[in-house]
Amino acid sequence: MSFVNGNLGNEALPSLSSSRPVPVVPALNIKSITQNRYRIIHISDPHLSKQFYREHIKSFRKLLQQVMQTRFDHMVISGDIVSTAEEDDYYLAREILSKFGLLSGDRLTVVPGNHDIFGGPHRAIDVLSFPQHIRSVDYRRHLELFTDVFAEAFQGAYRLGEHGTFPFIKPAGPFLLIGLNSIPPWSLWDNPLGTNGLLDENQMGSLEDLVGSPLTTSLLPVIVIHHHFNNLANDETIKNSLWRKIESNTMRMKKRRKVLKLFRALNVRYVLHGHIHRNEIYERDGIWLANGAGAVCDDPLRFLKFNTLDFHNGSVELTTGVFPIPFETSKPKVDYPKLKKAVAPPRLTTHPVVL
């Protein structure tokens, strides 16, 4: 499956810079294109795997069951949807999203994570074999598999350049979602484990061409990307200083200052990402970033969680919400304390939007 004019078809996703006629997204005033409310639910890194992480499948289903009982308009999943990059796991993820009525462009936006492309080591023995395995991964085929399996999620999207699906833009209520692929091909020196992030020249150039577009002033630009923008070398939540150094060299977003500068030029105020397995909201150079990668696993607060980006009467709120449901685990179950609001208050930032 592939995309044409924001819909399924036999051609490539239309390019805004192409000479071929494509639908034009009009520059609209926020007040004219939305009701008083619009909510985006953001999650990341469910790491679905039949072989290794069946508990993640259970947690993901439970999370979606809870989320579907709340009011929201759109869901964003910012990568590492699967853990192995195997087709069986891709189609499992597709089946789950379809069952919950989320597999459509107006309900779902996705971008790839490093596990979606390269897989990863899942057992202790894999640590030794993975560096050799990753050299044989067909990067282009796995990226195409990602866009094909979740094809419906790209309906209503428009690509910005001539070099593949990314970057793309998709209007969602008052927001303009800008989908990026931060997973570069394998490189012995720059990306030996496939876990570092980088935006290639084609994506950077396409974003630069978007600067000053009426789209970025009529709508509220929101970046959807897999990689984080923290400096893990200075992250005190990682207790082991040697591990902080290792993480900072193998899990980082490269050229992040340059990328953030470009985001500011695009009038971006919010970035939705994953990669480091915890939920947090933090600020970098006037941009608020939400990590959703602790949704179903590994986060120190071991309960199902999600982020929300709420538009309401001209203001935007970015929050983390927690359900009082513990992560599923492959280990013997333990008794979790009953979660109270006082235990994990959601972090909240409220920013007025100038209309």
Side-chain angles (χ1 to χ4, degrees):
M1 290 182 288
S2 57
F3 322 103
V4 57
N5 295 347
N7 298 300
L8 292 174
N10 296 317
E11 301 180 41
L13 189 69
S15 168
L16 292 183
S17 61
S18 173
S19 58
R20 181 165 53 88
V22 297
V24 176
V25 182
L28 299 175
N29 186 282
I30 291 175
K31 290 181 179 179
S32 69
I33 53 86
T34 185
Q35 303 80 26
N36 289 332
R37 291 179 177 272
Y38 195 91
R39 170 172 289 182
I40 292 175
I41 294 287
H42 168 229
I43 60 178
S44 194
D45 293 63
H47 282 270
L48 303 180
S49 170
K50 291 181 180 179
Q51 182 178 2
F52 298 108
Y53 300 128
R54 298 190 74 88
E55 66 273 17
H56 294 180
I57 300 172
K58 296 178 182 178
S59 289
F60 188 56
R61 290 182 187 274
K62 286 185 176 182
L63 177 59
L64 293 183
Q65 286 171 356
Q66 296 298 313
V67 166
M68 296 303 292
Q69 296 178 32
T70 68
R71 185 204 63 78
F72 75 97
D73 300 285
H74 198 84
M75 177 173 288
V76 166
I77 308 179
S78 54
D80 281 359
I81 299 176
V82 302
S83 203
T84 64
E86 296 289 339
E87 287 193 33
D88 283 352
D89 290 333
Y90 266 117
Y91 283 101
L92 168 67
R94 176 185 171 85
E95 177 186 351
I96 294 172
L97 292 168
S98 179
K99 179 180 178 180
F100 283 94
L102 292 169
L103 202 56
S104 65
D106 62 341
R107 293 288 279 170
L108 178 68
T109 294
V110 297
V111 297
N114 53 290
H115 277 263
D116 297 316
I117 305 300
F118 297 115
H122 300 98
R123 303 165 298 180
I125 192 173
D126 296 335
V127 174
L128 299 178
S129 62
F130 186 71
Q132 183 62 35
H133 161 77
I134 195 175
R135 298 175 184 227
S136 65
V137 170
D138 187 333
Y139 175 89
R140 183 180 297 275
R141 185 182 75 83
H142 280 84
L143 187 59
E144 289 177 352
L145 176 64
F146 181 89
T147 55
D148 284 350
V149 170
F150 302 119
E152 291 90 341
F154 293 90
Q155 290 177 325
Y158 298 79
R159 79 179 185 199
L160 295 178
E162 297 291 340
H163 302 279
T165 303
F166 302 94
F168 66 81
I169 58 173
K170 183 198 288 187
F175 301 107
L176 181 70
L177 301 179
I178 303 175
L180 302 175
N181 173 23
S182 61
I183 317 304
W186 175 84
S187 165
L188 179 61
W189 301 112
D190 295 327
N191 200 24
L193 299 178
T195 50
N196 280 327
L198 179 71
L199 294 183
D200 60 29
E201 293 182 0
N202 291 324
Q203 290 189 86
M204 291 291 286
S206 295
L207 292 178
E208 289 168 357
D209 290 342
L210 188 62
V211 172
S213 165
L215 287 169
T216 62
T217 54
S218 297
L219 301 173
L220 302 174
V222 176
I223 296 292
V224 182
I225 191 172
H226 182 61
H227 279 79
H228 65 97
F229 288 80
N230 276 321
N231 183 355
L232 296 180
N234 299 326
D235 193 336
E236 294 300 328
T237 65
I238 303 174
K239 302 300 182 182
N240 187 298
S241 59
L242 175 60
W243 187 245
R244 283 206 306 269
K245 186 175 182 180
I246 294 173
E247 289 271 83
S248 68
N249 287 322
T250 61
M251 298 282 286
R252 65 191 178 98
M253 180 69 186
K254 295 191 173 185
K255 301 182 180 179
R256 59 180 178 267
R257 290 184 179 178
K258 180 179 180 180
V259 172
L260 286 172
K261 182 178 180 180
L262 180 53
F263 288 173
R264 291 196 302 274
L266 286 167
N267 197 35
V268 169
R269 298 191 187 185
Y270 301 97
V271 173
L272 306 179
H273 72 80
H275 198 42
I276 300 298
H277 289 186
R278 60 181 182 235
N279 270 57
E280 62 179 343
I281 295 172
Y282 59 101
E283 182 265 342
R284 291 288 181 273
D285 301 332
I287 297 174
W288 286 94
L289 301 97
N291 183 2
V296 303
C297 61
D298 297 338
D299 188 281
L301 182 65
R302 297 180 60 79
F303 292 90
L304 302 180
K305 60 186 71 67
F306 60 99
N307 298 324
T308 62
L309 188 63
D310 269 306
F311 177 84
H312 182 210
N313 290 335
S315 292
V316 177
E317 294 180 345
L318 182 60
T319 70
T320 294
V322 182
F323 291 119
I325 301 173
F327 295 158
E328 291 285 336
T329 175
S330 59
K331 299 177 181 179
K333 290 191 174 182
V334 297
D335 292 328
Y336 289 90
K338 185 177 181 181
L339 182 66
K340 299 179 180 179
K341 290 184 178 179
V343 174
R347 297 187 59 183
L348 169 66
T349 61
T350 303
H351 305 287
V353 177
V354 179
L355 301 179

